[in-house]
Amino acid sequence: MAVSREQKTQAEAEIDIMRHSTAHVMAEAVQSVFPEVKFGIGPAIENGFYYDFDLPRALTPADLSVLETRMAEIMAADLPFVRQEMTKEEARGLFAAQPYKLELIDGIPEARVSIYRQGALVDLCQGPHVSSTGKIKAFKLLSIAGAYWRGDEHHPMLQRIYGIAFGSKEALSQHLKMLEEISWRDHRKLGVELGLFSIHEEAGPGLVHWHPKGAIIRQVIEDFWKDEHFKRGYDIVYTPHVAKAGLWQTSGHLDFYQENMYSPMDVDGQEYIIKPMNCLGHILIYKTKLRSYRELPLRYAEMGTVYRYERSGVLHGLSRVRGFTQDDAHIFCRFDQLEEEVVGVLNLARFMMETFDFTSYRIFLSTRPEKFAGSDEMWEEATEMLRRALVRQKILYDVDPGGGVFYGPKIDIKLEDALGRMWQGPTIQVDFNLPHRFDASYVGEDSREHQVVMVHRTVLGSMERFLACLIEHYAGAFPVWLAPVQVVVIPVADRHLDYARKLEVELRSERIRVKVNARSESVNSKIRQAQLEKVPYMALVGDKEVAASTVSVRLRRGEQLAAQPFGSLKEMVKTAIANKAEGAY
RNA sequence: GCCAGCGUAGCUCAGAGGUAGAGCAGCGGUUUCGUAAACCGCUGGCCGAAGGUUCGACUCCUUUCGCUGGCUCCA
């Protein structure tokens, strides 16, 4: 039973057509500026479109506004899109000067192809298109980027122009506002502003330094994570950061994963390699004794820090780095336990996602690729178990045919954040390969040895990427349980400082993260500082509070609460922490 | 890695072939203040790094490192 999640609505399909047509208009504009242009492809994408061009010179941002003006003229002229069918031979004649189009024609299986004309442009295109260029309502060109022809780095690099297009000016400006919001929430920007982490040129790109405020968030999450894993029958393990090269030879990583691994270091004449994955250590632990079917499943979990070489051009803040800590676990089980284990992981994954306020996500089941390890039957059965686990959890999912890794089928969960963007979330991967390579087995009921089934899984992904996601999801305003500073005490004047310290001690005794702002600044200024730091509770103490033994509370979202005794603030904060829910946005 | 753009004070940014500037932050002082910026003063820079052109380079050229947007890949 295949459960597919969504079909495009009629309206979405229509707007895609319009976006595609906008790409053609852009192509015409480019052609008018660069008559010698060679066209690549120009599809509609989410929110807009792009088109790839081979041009005599590099485009500059200034070119974009010229092209926009030209495009607006083409739209004002309301030129009709005209479809025409012809044989491939005729098309080859028509596109004789267009090598990329010729290559595309060669790849089309049908005998006849279609072309579209509008104004001065002729383009090989399946269509459909809007009836005329005047039907395009609102667009904007956003950026220029290099893109390999057909995405292959051995092919020439073309210049890609990205644009967005919408059904109305309002929708366009709304989207532009969203883009602004996205850049405003950027974890790299907020990470600096909130003092969470830094990355240093001197230390190397893609290597993260967690500052106290970022580290406390991470620590809270890790404590919570360990707790939850303990409850669910996982055992916490620790494994070394380096291992002899031979181990990576046995695992096959040296053959298949080498471009992501750092060069070996010499230790007493032996080659050692920094681990890019945690699985091998867990396998070694598994293999330390003869395992009985009775002790399975074994679930080894580790916040395991790994190092992977990433090409310099792909590094990005916390979300794509060279050293990161995975919330990793490996489940060793019998084949007949696989489905139940996957159900367990899905449960945990959903619990985690809910805890961090991700209410929407998409699930992908990836099936057998062309090259694979293990037997057909194993794959089929395992894939079926993953499928059944999803169905049992009543989860809608999409199938990614052939999208599995070579060693087994997998389930990927992609999270949707507060701005509707997707992030790689939990993954569950069945592995037939490593147990085979390491001869990891157990003794079955039949007294015979059986190969154990291994499941790699992470529910947060990596602490680095997860934090990047959380920072942007919460826009830096972390819920109380995660907020680096939960309460700032603000004395109105210096004479209230002692009283403020008393409140600080009282809150700290409950392990509430509290700071006193003792600076000689105005109340307004201290409140502003706390707001910018996105501290959930501001506790004001002045003459009135000292006299009445109370505290006035301002919430991060701006709300002011009536003066109250210390105790009730304490309880309010403790409740918010315990609920992990937002109490003070 | 590749294409393009960008690197000026802790941050945001201005400047420009004649030797560097603002706001914020920081520091010192004054102020003791009631829910998003009190006032005055001061410090702060090898203009990413190296080489070249030039009488003179932060500015022009080359190389290099890093960042940004993409391509590819992925936790």
Side-chain angles (χ1 to χ4, degrees):
Chain A
M1 138 183 192
V3 187
S4 190
R5 207 159 173 276
E6 67 184 42
Q7 291 290 322
K8 285 214 161 143
T9 65
Q10 181 73 17
E12 284 167 336
E14 274 173 29
I15 206 152
D16 274 351
I17 291 169
M18 189 269 286
R19 286 175 176 144
H20 184 191
S21 300
T22 312
H24 276 235
V25 171
M26 178 168 77
E28 185 181 349
V30 169
Q31 190 180 43
S32 75
V33 181
F34 303 97
E36 59 279 75
V37 58
K38 306 273 186 287
F39 294 106
I41 58 167
I45 54 173
E46 197 181 1
N47 300 319
F49 57 90
Y50 69 78
Y51 211 120
D52 290 342
F53 308 100
D54 194 341
L55 297 170
R57 68 162 172 88
L59 292 167
T60 67
D63 291 319
L64 292 189
S65 48
V66 172
L67 290 171
E68 276 180 352
T69 308
R70 184 75 198 98
M71 286 170 71
E73 288 165 13
I74 294 167
M75 289 167 193
D78 201 17
L79 307 168
F81 280 91
V82 182
R83 182 190 164 92
Q84 185 189 342
E85 282 198 13
M86 58 180 61
T87 65
K88 279 156 95 169
E89 224 24 73
E90 289 170 306
R92 279 194 191 95
L94 195 56
F95 293 105
Q98 293 289 337
Y100 304 106
K101 294 296 174 189
L102 289 177
E103 202 177 317
L104 290 174
I105 292 169
D106 290 341
I108 297 172
E110 287 79 27
R112 292 176 72 77
V113 299
S114 63
I115 61 156
Y116 274 82
R117 293 175 195 274
Q118 109 265 350
L121 184 83
V122 189
D123 199 358
L124 178 73
C125 181
Q126 262 195 314
H129 279 284
V130 295
S131 56
S132 65
T133 57
K135 294 287 186 294
I136 298 165
K137 297 298 176 218
F139 79 98
K140 185 169 172 58
L141 302 187
L142 287 189
S143 59
I144 306 157
Y148 299 109
W149 167 240
R150 296 193 151 177
D152 184 334
E153 65 186 59
H154 302 295
H155 288 158
M157 185 165 267
L158 308 179
Q159 298 192 68
R160 175 173 298 179
I161 302 177
Y162 282 97
I164 51 175
F166 289 89
S168 67
K169 292 259 191 304
E170 293 69 41
L172 176 72
S173 73
Q174 205 181 327
H175 187 257
L176 288 173
K177 233 188 244 158
M178 226 259 295
L179 292 181
E180 234 171 83
E181 172 76 10
I182 285 172
S183 87
W184 198 77
R185 284 181 182 235
D186 193 312
H187 74 273
R188 293 166 300 183
K189 181 178 148 74
L190 287 172
V192 171
E193 285 173 7
L194 300 174
L196 303 179
F197 67 91
S198 57
I199 295 171
H200 303 263
E201 190 172 340
E202 309 92 289
L207 300 172
V208 178
H209 298 69
W210 296 79
H211 297 202
K213 284 182 176 172
I216 189 70
I217 298 172
R218 176 167 164 179
Q219 190 189 326
V220 170
I221 294 174
E222 289 186 6
D223 287 347
F224 166 69
W225 183 92
K226 281 183 188 161
D227 221 45
E228 206 50 50
H229 279 69
F230 175 79
K231 285 184 202 162
R232 292 166 192 260
Y234 284 80
D235 299 311
I236 301 291
V237 298
Y238 295 97
T239 62
H241 288 69
V242 293
K244 286 187 186 173
L247 194 66
W248 305 106
Q249 191 67 61
T250 306
S251 67
H253 284 98
L254 276 183
D255 294 327
F256 300 115
Y257 204 67
Q258 195 167 27
E259 73 268 26
N260 283 298
M261 293 164 68
Y262 289 100
S263 336
M265 61 181 106
D266 183 284
V267 181
D268 291 342
Q270 292 270 357
E271 287 192 336
Y272 281 73
I273 294 180
I274 305 189
K275 66 175 172 180
M277 292 181 181
N278 300 303
C279 27
L280 300 200
H282 297 186
I283 291 183
L284 292 180
I285 294 172
Y286 176 85
K287 275 174 57 84
T288 48
K289 63 191 265 271
L290 199 56
R291 300 290 178 179
S292 155
Y293 73 96
R294 295 172 199 273
E295 62 185 313
L296 300 181
L298 282 170
R299 308 184 188 95
Y300 294 155
E302 176 177 14
M303 280 284 170
T305 303
V306 298
Y307 291 86
R308 298 183 187 171
Y309 172 74
E310 296 288 350
R311 296 166 131 200
S312 58
V314 306
L315 299 173
H316 182 90
L318 287 184
S319 62
R320 192 70 184 274
V321 293
R322 285 179 171 164
F324 54 97
T325 301
Q326 292 181 299
D327 70 306
D328 214 351
H330 294 92
I331 299 171
F332 298 91
C333 65
R334 293 180 258 126
F335 206 88
D336 64 282
Q337 293 171 319
L338 181 57
E339 179 179 331
E340 205 54 41
E341 287 307 306
V342 173
V343 167
V345 176
L346 286 173
N347 253 322
L348 173 58
R350 296 225 281 186
F351 173 74
M352 286 285 180
M353 291 188 289
E354 274 163 34
T355 303
F356 292 100
D357 297 313
F358 293 102
T359 49
S360 176
Y361 42 86
R362 292 190 64 178
I363 303 199
F364 297 86
L365 173 64
S366 298
T367 60
R368 201 184 68 200
E370 279 178 27
K371 285 179 69 177
F372 62 96
S375 67
D376 284 14
E377 303 80 62
M378 282 169 103
W379 269 89
E380 223 157 274
E381 231 177 296
T383 308
E384 186 52 32
M385 284 194 198
L386 294 188
R387 199 187 301 273
R388 278 208 302 271
L390 287 167
V391 171
R392 271 173 62 184
Q393 293 282 294
K394 300 197 170 51
I395 296 177
L396 296 179
Y397 64 94
D398 289 318
V399 175
D400 179 6
V405 250
F406 77 93
Y407 50 75
K410 64 168 180 174
I411 292 171
D412 286 313
I413 303 183
K414 297 208 196 305
L415 309 176
E416 187 181 327
D417 74 6
L419 293 183
R421 296 167 302 165
M422 304 307 280
W423 295 73
Q424 175 67 51
T427 67
I428 308 170
Q429 306 191 339
V430 181
D431 190 338
F432 301 128
N433 181 50
L434 283 181
H436 173 68
R437 280 174 172 268
F438 281 90
D439 192 23
S441 58
Y442 63 90
V443 178
E445 222 171 340
D446 55 6
S447 298
R448 301 239 293 265
E449 247 187 57
H450 300 268
Q451 188 179 307
V452 76
V453 174
M454 188 175 174
V455 179
H456 309 251
R457 45 107 288 183
T458 114
V459 292
L460 304 178
S462 73
M463 296 312 289
E464 286 75 8
R465 184 175 285 180
F466 190 65
L467 243 296
C469 178
L470 276 192
I471 290 168
E472 301 195 6
H473 186 52
Y474 290 128
F478 291 99
V480 181
W481 74 294
L482 296 175
V485 177
Q486 292 162 323
V487 181
V488 166
V489 183
I490 299 176
V492 172
D494 289 352
R495 63 178 176 278
H496 310 117
L497 202 51
D498 284 345
Y499 187 77
R501 296 281 182 213
K502 268 168 64 187
L503 178 53
E504 180 190 24
V505 168
E506 176 121 1
L507 293 174
R508 180 160 297 142
S509 72
E510 297 287 347
R511 303 193 56 81
I512 290 168
R513 298 187 288 272
V514 55
K515 286 250 163 47
V516 175
N517 188 339
R519 295 173 51 124
S520 173
E521 280 289 353
S522 67
V523 169
N524 275 327
S525 164
K526 293 179 196 177
I527 285 177
R528 178 159 195 272
Q529 283 170 33
Q531 286 289 152
L532 292 175
E533 285 168 34
K534 302 178 196 290
V535 177
Y537 299 95
M538 283 153 257
L540 270 78
V541 292
D543 289 337
K544 282 180 286 181
E545 288 75 14
V546 172
S549 281
T550 56
V551 53
S552 293
V553 178
R554 174 191 164 107
L555 304 180
R556 176 168 58 191
R557 61 170 174 256
E559 192 177 333
Q560 289 172 43
L561 308 182
Q564 53 194 292
F566 282 13
S568 75
L569 168 62
K570 203 161 76 180
E571 287 315 309
M572 179 163 60
V573 178
K574 279 171 69 179
T575 305
I577 292 171
N579 291 343
K580 297 190 178 56
E582 189 40 60
Y585 252 178

